[in-house]
Structure formats: C-alpha cells, structure tokens
C-alpha cells in the first residue's frame, strides 16, 4: 500500500478500532449520533456497554457514551432475544437481566463503522446498525419450524438508575412498543426522561405482553412501574413472541427525549423500511465522508500502527452527541450537543483535532455551548443526558471557545454572547459551583489563588483541588484574554492576562520532594503547594496521588477530604501552565533543569499517560528548545501504551481524548489549545495529508529519510512551502491554506528548533503580547478611555465619569462642559464630593482656576462646580480617591489609569498628591480602610504609582521611608512577611527599580549593625533566598553587593595573575551575607571586578556578574580557561607534538570561554592558535577524530556565543581544498550529524574563484570521496532553496556535479 485513507482502510480491515476494556463504545453509530447500538455485558467496566472480558450479554440497547469513567451511563431499554421459552410458555423465559445474562462466542464479534454483530451461546446472532436517532437490530435464530422466538424490552439502563413511573405499552396487533422512563445521569445532577418506540418485522407475531420481575403475561398490554425500595429497580418491561419460521426478526427502535410520539416519528422518518443492508451501507457512507479529510502513506508501516492511528481518529467522532431537535428543556433554533463528558478531558486534544478534521461540527458544538449558557445560565464543564455534569476543575468551556476563536471558526457563532458567557465564569460565582462555573471567586479575585479550606459562603461545592483549580483558573483566564483581545476588550485583555499569572501564587521555591515512604530525595526543589487564607503555605506531598502512589488512602477525585489536585499529583501539575511555559521554565530553573524534571516525571512513571493532564507533558520539551526529546518521548508511549487490542489503551478513552492524543502524536503535530500553536514532531508515516473541509486545500507533512524502524526520529531541518522553517511549531493556517511541511530526519538530535526564536510563543514573551497594552504608549482615544473607565475605582465615581467617557468614545471633543455637567449625575458632583473623596473638599475651592495645576494640557476631565470649571488631572483623581489603595493593589501591567501621559512633571500635582497621601510632614494615614494592613507594603505601592506617573518627588519620599518602615515590620514577628511582600512588589511591578531605592533595600538587608535579636532574624535567610530565586534582578543586585564588598577587602586586592591562584580548588565561592543567606559566585566573576584582573586580561566588557551563573555543564571549559589564566603561557610551546591532540580541543574551549565572558584578547589568541593547529594536523591520521570533536564542540556549544569559532573550522577546510591537499579527515559523518557545518563548508567552497578547476582536478584524480560528500551536501542544502542551477558535465568521469552559479 502507498497512500491510504481511513475510509478505504476500513473496507479492507473490517473493525479497525480498539474494542477494549477502557470503556470504549464499540458498537454501531453515526458520527456524533444519538443512537448507539451495542451489546451490553455484565462486566464491572461496562460504561461503553460491550466489554470482551469474559462477561456475559445482558441485552442490546441503543443509547451509550464512550470511554467515560464513573458510573455507567445510558444503556436504556435493552432488547434481549430468546430462540424459544422453556415449555413454550412465556414464563419459561428469564426476564431479570441479572439472571438472563448469556455468554457469546468471542470469534463472532464483528465491528465496523455503523455496524456491530455477535453470536450468543444460545446460537442467536444479533446484528445492529443505526441512523441519527434510531437503531435497527436483526436477530437471526437457529433454523427451526417448531419454536417461537421471544424478544423482550427492559425498562432499565446500565447503572440501574431508573426512577418511578416508568411505563410501556405494547400493541397486540403490530407488536409496537412505546414507553418512557426517568433515569439519573452518571456523573451529574438532576434526571432525564427518555422515550422509545420499537417496531418489529420479519415474522408474524404470535402474542405479546408485559413482564414484572420474573413473571410475564400475554393478557396485560400496558405497565406502569415504580422503582421499588430494595436497591436495584424492580424489573419490568414488555415482550413480543413470534410464530415459528426461518426468517430473521428486525427490530427498529426509535428514541427521543421529547416523548414516545417523537420517538416513533424519528423511527419512521429515518428508517421507513426495514432494509438492514441499506441502513448499514448508509452508515458506512456517513463515516467515509466524515473521515475522508485525512490520508497517510503506509510504506513500511506495520498494519497495527495504521489500525492504531485510524482507531484514534474514529473514536474522537463518537461523542459529543448531536441531540439537535431532541432538547425538551428549551425551544431554540441553535444546535444542541450533549455528552460533553467531560470538557476537562476533551479540550486538550479531542476538540482541537475535530477543529482540523471537522470544523463545521465544532462550530455547531460551540454554538450549542453558548446556547446552554443562554438558557441554563452557565457554560457546562461536563454535561450528559440533558443534565449538568460535575465540574472537575476550572471552567474549561472557556478554553474550547477560545480555541475555536483563535483558529477562526466563525460560522454561526455569536462571539459576543460567548464572551458574556466566559466572562461570567470568571466574575460571578454560581450557587452550585460543583455543576457549573467556578467556586472560590472572592478569594481568587482578592488573593490570586483558591485557598485550601477556603471561606466561601456564596456557593456550594467540594472544597478540595485548590492547587489544580488555581492552575486551571489561570489558564481559563488566559483563554478569556485571547477572546477579549480579538473582540477589542482592551481592559479585559490586561485584567485576564494579569490573572492568568496567578499560578505563581502557589509556587513554593524551597519545597522539596522525597519518594513515598522514603527519605530519598527526588533531587528537585520548587513545587506548587496549597495556601491558606492567611497566605501561609499548607503541605501536600508532591507525589501524593501520582502514578507511583499506590496507597489506598490517597484520593484525588471529587471526594470530600480529597487532595488539592484533581486526578493527579503536584509533580504533574507543576507543568500545567500551558500559556506561559517560558515563565514556568524560568521558575523551575531554566531549560536544562526543566528538561531533567520532565525526564524524571516520565522515566520514573510519576505521570500516567492514561490521564489527560499527562498529554502536553510529552511535548513540553519543545518549550525548552529540545523538540527531539518530544519525539523520543512520543515513541516512548506509542505503541507501548496504545495498541489496537483488547485493553490496548492506558486509561479510559474519555470520549475520544485518548484517541485524539494518539492521532495527533502519530500525525506529528500536537496542539496547545486556546492558542494558535501546533508542536512539530516527525509523523509516524512517510507522509500525512489533511484536506481542510473549510477551504478544500490539502496540507502535507512529509518525512525525508523516513525510517519505519523509528530510529531516525529527530528533525535535522525543515521547510515550509519550500522555505527554511526553523521554528518548532506551526499555526492553524497550515491546514486552512494547504501548506507543505517537509522534515528531514536523522539519528541524533540536531540544532533545529532549539534557538530562542524557534520556540513556541508564551505569554511572557512577545509572541502573545497585545500590541497596545502598554499605556505609556499613547493608544487611540477609545482604547484609552476603556482602560480608565473599567479601572477599579468606586462604583459611584465610575458612574460620575460615565457621561464623559461616553462622549469621548463617541468622538465628541472635550469642550462640552455644559452638556457634561447635566448628564448622569455630573450636575450633582458638588454635593457628592465629600462622599466620593475624589477631589479636594469644597469643590476644589482652594485651587485657583488660573493656577498651573489647572493647565488644560494636564487634564483629561473638566468638572464644573458652581460657576467655576476645573480641568482635573486623573493622577489627582486617583490619588485623592479613598480607593487609591485598591488601585495600587491592581496589577500594574494593566495600568488601570494608564491613559495618563505626563510630558513633564507638574509641581502642583506632586504637592497635592504628597499632601493627601502623607500629610505635612510625610506621615502615613491610618490604613485599615485601604485594605492594606502594612505601611511598608502601602509605601511600596505608592512608589509603584509614583514610578508609573513619573513623579520623582514622590519616589524620593518613598525611598526615604523604606528603612524606617522596614524596621517597624521587623520589630513584629507577624509583620515580617510584609517586608518580603514589599520587596516583591517593588521588583515585580517597577520595570526598572531606581538605583537609590534598590541600593537602600540591599544595604538594609546587608547591614551588619541590624539588631540580631529582632523578630525577622529567623525568617530572613529563607525569605531572602526565596526572593532571590523568584526575582532574578534581586538575586543579581544582592550578589553584586556582596561581590563589591569582597573585592573591596585587602585580600582580594592582592590577587595576581599567577599559577598560585589556581593551586587551590576551583569552585563557586560560597559567600554568606550577614543574614546567613549563602550565594554561590564564580571566582572568575569576583576576579573580573578587580582592577588587577582587568589589567591582566585587558577585559573590555562589563562583568557578567550574577548571583548564580551556572557553568557546571562544561567543567572542562572552566578548567581550560583557568589553566590559561593562571598556570600556562599561551604560546607555541604549549603545542608540542605530544600535546597537539589535547591542545586542539583545549584552544576551542579557551575560545568558548573568551566568547562567553566576552574577553576579546582571549578570543583572538585562541583563534590564532586554532588556525595554526588545524592546518598542521592534516597529515596526522590519529588526529582526524580530534578535528571532528573540535567541530562538534564549536557547533553544539558555541553557536549562540560567537560564529567565529565556526569560521575557523570552515576556513580550514576551504584552505585545504584550495591547496589541493588530500586528507584522511572523515567529515562525511559530520555533515549528517551537523547539517549547519556542511552547509557552511559548501557555502564557503562555492565562493572560491577557482572552484570549478578544483572540482575537475578532483574528478580527474578520482580521489574526491570526501569532496563528494561536501558537494552532495551542498546540492542537498542549496538546491531546494533555488540558489543555483546544477549541471553534470560529461567531462567529469567520476560523475561529480559541477555547480554553475546563476545570477550571482
């Protein structure tokens, strides 16, 4: 086989999806169909109905969900066939499902799209197919002319949830059964009523009746039955018995949530005739059409992997279920989808996959979600059987809507209503947040996290999962900001992106993790931890509820007393910041520690790939610049954990979530939902084609050097539409515009996709920033006023500004004081000033209208009080407001008052602000009503505001108060945290903290004269270390201060550039501050601050001082550097023949150190020595490998420091060719391993004027084996770029090509 589509494979392979014990529905259905017919078994894992685990068949029902956990759902009104009843009496058949269960022949099971069949041990064969709302069964009985088959319909479901007043009626003539029953949802609240209409064909009816418990009667034709009081509901239903014959019996079962009449209409409309084969063929055709967008190349691929791939895609289209026209809860012309079971599972990959393959259906699903909000009041996080499902974490329908929005799904979607819906999730707490919305919103808004043991009186829900809810709320709010950005809700963009950073609130930098029941450390520090309302940390073992936590007491679902993480551990949730991986990586120590932590998560089996939070962790290596490890990790799980066998899934399929993870992984693209991002890994096939149903254009992903053994799984280079593509991700336009992505593969990781510019976007980097969010850049007037109007000022003040804002938004000029004064309460301003406190009392009477303060250019608001009109600057309005403290608590990235642009400082404004805030002289007011109970934190917030408004006098005043207020904190143990909070506020919210205040903070913390007995002494070391880890600039400032102190001492002044310095061991210096905090600073950095070292090295750049520069990854480089600096003369004598092998790599490393620390002299000397050494070793066979090592070092370790080290090696090869020297250097392997090196060499060679002659000489000498590699590499890398035309001159007997440069 070559190219193959899922539809064609289905025909040749029969059933191709996984019939397993992971709750997958394996029966007959249409894509998203309501009718789902299959055999039900008495397995303990019968959520999908049929399980081939040795269990027995209890019936054949028409309603199911797929892959769900929890209690079984649906399975309503099962049919059960008997070939005959004992003694030919209706009481001779067994009616209760617990006793009628019958085995089946495993080899008889057959499953195809829209078809399911098996043979019972009773020799009755059952086949079934479906339409949208109707099932058609065909029962074939053992051939006999003497028995009367009986088919019963049971008023039950899979979980025995039937309630009272179920009913059934059977028509004595036609055998038609109609009825209904009320049931409970499997994972939610409320109940639902389902109706049926069953008709029979194929044989004459002998008799019919009803049954109750184990007894039946042909005399009674109707039954209304209560549930009963003893556990399971009392069995009851109806039956039809047929005359002896050899024909099969067909049963058509129509279904409806509206009523029995609607069920009959559905059946008669959808299957007017009992043509089983026609219905089956139509169902198969539906699937062909729905699944046709994707095809693959099967060259070399094992058939089980093909089945695996298509199985995953198929299962994503089983649910959600299209119940349009079947919703009795409200009347609407919008689509209605159900069985969102649950969105917590499906938003991650299932719905994103459908966005590619079936966008029209996703548009309908999104419209259905919005319509549920319109009529039910809230978006669902889970929904089944018309009922509200339990919320597992956040409001994840927000993510689904945002994903559809950023990928431009628009047909019929009212995004204004959608935005109202998601914003309600974020702002309003529902009464029952266990079923909808979010709980704990008061704490979320005020503290920035969901506390453990939260005080939440506004709604009810399970007060657990505080960590996972905080993380999910953060991501939900980011997704809301995506929608807000597209709808130009500028203020909301800033607000929700600010809240999306709240995940940081629960990160505890010094939290360690040890193995369960052991003191053995995992070796990692820094994890999320729960927090109490008082902002102190609680504790949960980071491995609690992990895959390696086998304790029966570990519960982490929705139980009372459950964990603070849902269905997973803190270890795994430590990676759940999908929107800002860059910040997360920074918090976790940087790319290398992040990768090590990811490896540990997977290698130690802490994560469980059978649960959805694990999905993205497989591919998060991309964000650390290691996309090759994502590919490697994908193959770690597939096919080991995913195979098309019974039990072939690692966990519940969860409505196709597992299937979509499998499909995306094998396609070679994985989504980060809510963002226009797909992470690139090589497909498991030579090529994959996806045709967009929206545009009809076909996107292609193609592997070059495809390896069916999956050894070559690392991308070496890529092109997108023929152009080089270095980014390790693509966006959704790849599919809609039909682009071609070509991946060249190799056996080892390469530099492809590893640069900072190649990484996927994160909130904290430019890729996701809004262009107009910085209020210091003057945006348009509408944006400015929307920023201000929605700022957190008092409601009354907002109302007062409403008319003015409306005027400006409508484009009216400032000069309309009369109309402004008469609208929306502005005329009452003078009588409300004392209440609002927005202005100086008495209508600003003490302010002269002609004073500098009233200059129009400093005003945004004109206020008329009495006969006077005042132009009032918003700085004054905000500063004099009683709510200034609340404003200052606002995230200043939002800059709520950001419409202020002050070209120069107004002394009168500064004076008024200072007088109000601090009195005369500078004293703080009583603060409880401000909501900030610490003068120091208040002072920090004032500094932030002063920095923003660029009021230097106010900043100076705050700086002068820092030490005094800090002492007040440190004299009271309970106030100590306020010192650290104030420092955090200043460093995080001021883009560039003033030197004076920064120095004041550092000097205060380092002051040896501080009273050692004060209350903060014990807390100080831990807190400073925590701040140093959280805030890089603070760490650098503190380290620099200590280095400066050290270099100022007599001991460091005496350092000389002698060997003696290197006699002592080289390591990081352990510098201990007066507070006991240890910092590790490299001696090189300390030395670099001394004049002696600068003189010795003629160091020309600013020192790269840092609190914790990590160069331990290359200790050889450090050693080489020090040997040169302090122990060895750097001249030719160091390069004797006996040392040349070592010296070549040695000088490359010295060059690297010179580049890293920016020491030009060192770099130049190393470059000079390398040039001489490389040329001198051509004839030394044993040194060829060392040249290769030197090249590898240059291209793998120095690529981001200095390309000149690359050029040294490239030019050496060029010189060798120019001089026509033969060489035994084995560089062919280097070209494959380091494509950039080959490309550089080829590029250098082609520029030589005598290149053609050189090639001809090599051809004639037939001694160009290594040159062939260079030239073929050049051809490979440059031909695709259209840089040259290639010719193959006949004169060249060795078949070397001769490049001809065109147009250059």
């Amino acid at each position: 086989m070559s190219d193959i589509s899922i539809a064609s494979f289905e025909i040749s392979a029969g059933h191709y999806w996984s019939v397993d014990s992971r709750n997958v529905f394996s029966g007959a259905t249409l894509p998203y169909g309501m009718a789902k017919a299959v055999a039900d078994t008495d397995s303990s894992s019968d959520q999908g109905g049929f399980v081939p685990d040795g269990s027995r068949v209890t019936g054949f029902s028409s309603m199911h969900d797929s892959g769900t956990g929890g209690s079984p759902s649906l399975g309503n009104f099962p049919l059960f066939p008997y070939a005959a009843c004992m003694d030919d009496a209706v009481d001779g058949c067994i009616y209760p499902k617990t006793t009628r269960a019958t085995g089946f022949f495993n080899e008889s099971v057959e499953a195809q799209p829209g078809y399911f069949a098996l043979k019972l041990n009773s020799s009755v064969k059952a086949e079934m197919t479906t339409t949208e709302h109707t099932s058609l069964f065909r029962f074939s009985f053992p051939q006999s002319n003497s028995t009367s088959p009986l088919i019963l319909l049971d008023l039950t479901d899979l979980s025995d949830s039937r309630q009272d007043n179920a009913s059934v009626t059977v028509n004595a003539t036609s055998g038609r059964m109609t009825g209904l029953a009320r049931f409970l949802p499997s994972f939610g609240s409320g109940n639902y009523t389902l109706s049926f209409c069953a008709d029979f064909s194929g044989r004459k009816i002998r008799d019919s009746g009803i049954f109750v418990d184990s007894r039946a009667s042909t005399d009674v034709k109707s039954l209304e039955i209560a549930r009963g009081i003893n556990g399971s509901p009392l069995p009851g239903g109806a039956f039809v018995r047929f005359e002896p014959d050899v024909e099969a019996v067909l049963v058509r079962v129509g279904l409806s949530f509206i009523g029995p009449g609607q069920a009959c209409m559905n059946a008669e409309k959808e299957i007017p005739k009992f043509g089983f084969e026609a219905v089956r063929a139509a169902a198969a055709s539906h699937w062909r059409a729905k699944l046709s967008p994707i095809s693959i190349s099967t060259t070399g691929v094992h058939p089980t992997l093909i089945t695996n791939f298509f199985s995953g895609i198929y299962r994503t289209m089983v649910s959600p279920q299209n119940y349009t026209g079947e919703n009795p809860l409200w009347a609407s012309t919008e689509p209605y989808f159900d069985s969102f079971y649950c969105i917590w599972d499906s938003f991650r990959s299932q719905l994103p996959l459908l966005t590619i393959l079936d966008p029209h259906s996703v548009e309908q699903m999104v419209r259905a979600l919005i319509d549920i909000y319109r009529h039910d009041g809230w978006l669902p996080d889970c929904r089944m059987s018309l009922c509200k499902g339990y919320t597992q974490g956040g409001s994840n329908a927000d993510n689904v809507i945002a994903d559809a929005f950023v990928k431009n799904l628009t047909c019929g979607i009212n995004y204004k209503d959608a935005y109202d819906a998601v914003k309600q999730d974020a702002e309003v707490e529902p009464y029952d947040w266990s079923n909808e919305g979010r709980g704990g919103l008061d704490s979320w808004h005020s503290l920035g996290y969901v506390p453990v043991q939260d005080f939440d009186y506004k709604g009810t829900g399970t007060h657990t999962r505080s960590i996972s809810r905080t993380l999910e709320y953060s991501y939900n709010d980011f997704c809301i900001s995506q929608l807000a950005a597209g709808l130009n809700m500028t203020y909301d963009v800033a607000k929700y992106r600010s809240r999306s950073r709240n995940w940081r609130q629960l990160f505890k930098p010094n939290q360690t993790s040890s193995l369960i029941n052991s003191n053995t450390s995992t070796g990692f520090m820094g994890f999320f931890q729960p927090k109490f309302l008082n902002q102190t940390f609680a504790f949960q073992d980071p491995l609690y509820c992990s895959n390696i936590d086998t304790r029966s007491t570990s519960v982490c679902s929705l139980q009372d007393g459950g964990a603070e993480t849902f269905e997973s551990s803190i270890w795994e949730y430590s990676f759940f910041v999908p929107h800002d991986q860059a910040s997360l990586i920074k918090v976790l120590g940087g790319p290398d520690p992040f990768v090590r932590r990811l490896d540990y998560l997977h290698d130690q089996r802490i994560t469980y790939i059978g649960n959805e939070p694990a999905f993205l962790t497989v591919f998060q290596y991309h964000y650390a610049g290691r996309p090759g490890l994502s590919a490697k990790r994908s193959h770690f799980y597939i096919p080991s954990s995913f195979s098309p066998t019974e039990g072939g899934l690692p966990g519940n399929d969860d409505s196709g979530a597992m299937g979509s993870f499998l499909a995306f992984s094998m396609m070679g693209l994985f989504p980060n939902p809510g963002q226009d991002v797909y992470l690139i890994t090589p497909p498991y096939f030579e090529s994959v084609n996806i045709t967009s149903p929206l545009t009809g254009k076909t996107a292609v992903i193609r592997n070059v050097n495809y390896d069916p053994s999956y050894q070559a799984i690392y991308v070496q280079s890529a092109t997108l539409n023929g152009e080089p593509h270095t980014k390790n991700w693509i966006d959704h336009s790849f599919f809609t515009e039909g682009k071609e992505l070509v991946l060249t593969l190799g056996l080892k990781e390469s530099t492809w996709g590893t640069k900072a510019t190649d990484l996927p976007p994160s909130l904290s980097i430019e890729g996701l920033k809004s262009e107009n969010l910085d209020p210091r850049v003057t945006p348009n007037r509408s944006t400015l006023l929307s920023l201000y109007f929605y700022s957190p000022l008092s409601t009354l003040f907002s109302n007062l500004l409403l008319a003015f804002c409306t005027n400006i938004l409508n484009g009216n000029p400032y000069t309309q004081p009369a109309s402004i004064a008469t609208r929306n309460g502005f005329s009452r301003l003078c009588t409300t000033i004392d209440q609002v406190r927005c202005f100086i009392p008495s209508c600003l009477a003490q302010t002269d209208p002609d004073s500098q303060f009233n200059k129009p250019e400093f005003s945004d608001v004109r206020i008329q009080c009495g006969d006077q009109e005042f132009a009032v600057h918003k700085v004054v309005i905000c500063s004099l407001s009683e709510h200034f403290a609340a404003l200052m608590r606002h995230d200043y990235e939002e800059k709520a008052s950001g419409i202020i642009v002050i070209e120069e400082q107004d002394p009168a404004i500064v004076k008024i602000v200072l007088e109000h805030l601090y009195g005369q002289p500078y004293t703080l007011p009583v603060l409880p009503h401000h909501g900030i109970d610490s003068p120091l934190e208040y002072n920090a917030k004032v500094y932030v505001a002063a920095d923003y408004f660029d009021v230097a006098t106010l900043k100076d005043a705050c700086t002068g108060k820092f030490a005094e207020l800090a002492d007040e904190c440190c004299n009271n143990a309970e106030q100590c945290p306020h010192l650290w909070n104030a420092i955090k506020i200043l460093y995080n919210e001021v883009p560039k903290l003033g030197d004076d205040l920064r120095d004041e903070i550092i000097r205060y913390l380092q002051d040896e004269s501080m009273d050692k007995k004060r209350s903060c002494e014990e807390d100080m070391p831990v807190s400073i270390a925590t701040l140093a880890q959280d805030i890089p600039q603070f760490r650098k400032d503190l380290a620099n201060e200590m280095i400066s102190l050290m270099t100022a001492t007599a001991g460091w002044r005496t350092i000389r550039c002698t060997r003696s310095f290197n006699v002592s061991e080289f390591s990081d210096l352990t510098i201990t501050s007066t507070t006991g905090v240890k910092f590790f600073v490299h001696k090189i950095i300390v030395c670099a601050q001394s004049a002696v070292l600068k003189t010795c090295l003629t160091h020309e750049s600013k020192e790269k001082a840092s609190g914790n520069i990590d160069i331990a990854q290359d200790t050889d480089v450090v050693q080489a550097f020090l040997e040169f600096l302090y122990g060895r003369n750097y001249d030719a004598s160091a390069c004797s023949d006996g040392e040349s092998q070592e010296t070549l790599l040695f000088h490359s490393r010295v060059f690297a150190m010179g580049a890293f620390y920016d020491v030009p002299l060192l770099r130049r000397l190393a470059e000079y020595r390398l040039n001489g050494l490389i040329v001198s070793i051509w004839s030394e066979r044993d040194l060829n490998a060392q040249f290769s090592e030197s090249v590898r070092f240059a291209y793998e370790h120095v690529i981001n420091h200095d390309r000149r080290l690359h050029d040294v090696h490239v030019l050496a090869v060029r010189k060798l060719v120019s001089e026509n020297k033969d060489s035994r250097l084995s560089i062919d392997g280097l070209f494959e391993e380091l494509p950039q090196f080959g490309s550089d060499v080829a590029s250098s060679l082609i520029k030589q004027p005598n290149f053609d002659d050189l090639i001809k000489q090599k051809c004639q000498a037939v001694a160009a084996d290594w040159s062939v590699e260079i030239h073929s590499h050049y051809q490979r890398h440059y031909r695709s770029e259209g840089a040259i035309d290639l010719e193959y001159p006949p004169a060249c007997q060795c078949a070397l090509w001769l490049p001809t440069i065109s147009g250059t």
Side-chain angles (χ1 to χ4, degrees), residues 154-419:
D154 197 344
L155 298 173
T156 188
D157 66 344
L158 284 172
S159 60
D160 294 324
S161 74
R162 194 196 74 218
Q163 303 300 293
D164 290 341
N165 301 323
S167 64
V168 62
T169 298
V170 58
N171 184 288
T173 303
S174 66
R176 168 174 279 190
M177 300 177 185
T178 56
L180 54 84
R182 186 159 51 94
F183 302 94
L184 301 180
S186 59
F187 191 69
S189 302
N191 58 75
Y192 67 95
T193 298
L194 184 67
S195 303
F196 64 90
C197 177
D199 294 296
F200 302 86
S201 177
R203 290 196 186 187
K204 293 182 180 179
I205 294 175
R206 176 179 174 183
D207 52 27
S208 60
I210 59 96
F211 69 90
V212 177
D213 202 0
S214 60
R215 290 290 178 261
S217 170
T218 58
D219 297 328
V220 182
K221 304 299 182 184
S222 294
L223 171 68
E224 186 170 330
I225 189 170
R227 176 177 174 82
I229 62 174
N230 295 316
S232 298
L234 183 65
F239 66 88
V240 172
R241 193 162 56 155
F242 302 91
E243 295 286 358
D245 203 339
V246 295
E247 296 296 325
V249 175
L250 291 105
V251 186
R252 182 183 65 189
V253 181
L255 303 154
S256 177
F257 288 99
I258 305 298
Q262 181 70 37
C264 292
M265 289 175 59
N266 289 340
E268 292 166 355
K269 178 182 178 181
E270 294 173 8
I271 308 179
K273 300 178 181 179
F274 286 75
F276 187 90
E277 295 303 330
V279 175
R280 175 182 174 182
S285 179
H286 273 288
W287 279 108
R288 288 190 187 95
K290 190 62 72 173
L291 299 170
S292 61
I294 190 163
S295 64
I296 62 172
S297 170
T298 61
T299 302
V301 183
H302 195 281
T304 59
L305 286 177
I306 303 171
T307 301
N308 215 9
F309 177 65
F310 286 145
S311 168
I313 297 173
Y314 169 86
R315 296 197 307 273
T316 64
M317 297 184 179
V318 175
S319 287
Q321 300 178 28
N322 190 343
Y323 287 7
T324 302
E326 286 294 332
N327 179 7
L329 302 179
W330 58 79
S332 175
T333 58
E334 284 294 276
Y336 177 74
F337 275 70
D338 205 282
S339 288
F340 290 102
Y341 201 162
C342 289
I343 295 177
W344 186 87
D345 304 292
S346 61
F347 84 83
R348 304 168 199 263
S349 56
Q350 185 218 0
L351 295 176
L353 182 65
L354 296 180
T355 298
I356 298 170
L357 301 179
D358 192 9
H360 296 300
S361 292
V362 175
E363 287 169 334
Q364 290 185 313
M365 293 173 196
V366 171
R367 290 168 61 187
L369 290 173
I370 298 169
D371 211 41
I372 292 170
Y373 154 75
R374 293 189 188 105
H375 295 92
D376 239 5
W378 301 90
L379 291 169
D381 188 58
C382 199
R383 191 174 181 88
M384 72 289 298
S385 313
L386 306 175
C387 297
K388 297 178 179 181
Y390 297 135
T391 297
Q392 295 170 274
S395 51
N396 292 305
D398 306 345
N399 308 348
V400 174
I401 292 172
D403 196 60
F405 183 78
V406 299
K407 293 168 183 173
N408 203 31
L409 299 190
T410 58
C411 185
I413 300 176
N414 185 330
Y415 278 111
K416 180 183 180 300
D417 287 358
Y419 189 70

Side-chain angles (χ1 to χ4, degrees), residues 289 385 658 907 973 1027 1033 1232 1258:
S385 313
M658 290 291 144
L1027 288 173
Q1033 185 59 48
E1232 292 301 320
K1258 287 290 182 181

Side-chain angles (χ1 to χ4, degrees), residues 14-15 26 106-112 115-118 125 127 280:
H15 79 281
S26 51
N106 279 325
E107 64 274 13
S108 70
V109 177
E110 185 178 0
Q112 293 179 359
Y115 176 78
F116 182 87
L118 59 71
K125 181 178 182 180
E127 302 171 88
R280 175 182 174 182

Side-chain angles (χ1 to χ4, degrees), residues 330-516:
W330 58 79
S332 175
T333 58
E334 284 294 276
Y336 177 74
F337 275 70
D338 205 282
S339 288
F340 290 102
Y341 201 162
C342 289
I343 295 177
W344 186 87
D345 304 292
S346 61
F347 84 83
R348 304 168 199 263
S349 56
Q350 185 218 0
L351 295 176
L353 182 65
L354 296 180
T355 298
I356 298 170
L357 301 179
D358 192 9
H360 296 300
S361 292
V362 175
E363 287 169 334
Q364 290 185 313
M365 293 173 196
V366 171
R367 290 168 61 187
L369 290 173
I370 298 169
D371 211 41
I372 292 170
Y373 154 75
R374 293 189 188 105
H375 295 92
D376 239 5
W378 301 90
L379 291 169
D381 188 58
C382 199
R383 191 174 181 88
M384 72 289 298
S385 313
L386 306 175
C387 297
K388 297 178 179 181
Y390 297 135
T391 297
Q392 295 170 274
S395 51
N396 292 305
D398 306 345
N399 308 348
V400 174
I401 292 172
D403 196 60
F405 183 78
V406 299
K407 293 168 183 173
N408 203 31
L409 299 190
T410 58
C411 185
I413 300 176
N414 185 330
Y415 278 111
K416 180 183 180 300
D417 287 358
Y419 189 70
D420 291 343
V422 300
K423 190 169 182 178
Q424 177 170 273
D425 283 341
E427 302 295 342
V428 182
E429 181 169 323
Y431 172 73
D432 184 7
W433 51 264
S434 64
N435 281 312
E436 56 203 3
R438 309 183 199 171
L441 282 186
D442 280 358
S443 294
W444 173 250
H445 294 159
S446 62
L447 299 174
Y449 62 91
V450 178
V452 61
Q453 301 176 17
D454 190 18
F455 175 64
D456 184 359
Y457 64 93
K458 292 184 176 179
T460 57
T462 305
H463 287 281
T464 57
R465 302 156 291 136
S466 64
I467 294 176
S468 55
R469 286 163 60 204
T470 294
L471 297 174
E472 291 189 33
Y473 291 4
S474 297
Y475 189 52
N476 299 152
D477 280 352
F478 167 77
C479 288
I480 294 173
S481 78
Q482 294 282 79
L483 195 58
L487 298 176
N488 295 318
M489 304 290 186
T490 311
Y491 166 75
D492 283 359
V493 174
K495 176 170 69 172
Y496 292 119
R497 290 195 175 170
S498 172
R499 289 183 187 172
S500 77
R501 296 178 176 88
N502 283 351
W503 58 272
R504 291 173 173 266
Q505 298 282 352
L506 298 188
F507 186 76
K508 188 176 182 182
N510 60 350
Q511 179 62 55
T512 58
S513 170
S514 297
L515 297 178
I516 295 173

Side-chain angles (χ1 to χ4, degrees), residues 896-919:
S897 294
I899 60 177
I900 309 305
V901 178
I902 303 179
E903 299 299 332
E904 58 181 299
Q905 295 181 30
D906 186 330
I909 292 177
V910 176
K911 182 175 183 294
I912 292 173
V913 172
L914 286 173
E915 285 179 352
H916 178 74
L917 291 178
Y918 304 110

Side-chain angles (χ1 to χ4, degrees), residues 3 29 50 111 168 180 184 200 211 314 317 431 448 522 734 790 833 848 1112 1123 1129 1132:
D3 287 347
T29 187
F50 178 73
V168 62
L180 54 84
L184 301 180
F200 302 86
F211 69 90
Y314 169 86
M317 297 184 179
Y431 172 73
T522 61
F734 173 76
Y790 291 104
I833 285 177
D848 183 355
E1123 285 178 358
N1129 291 325

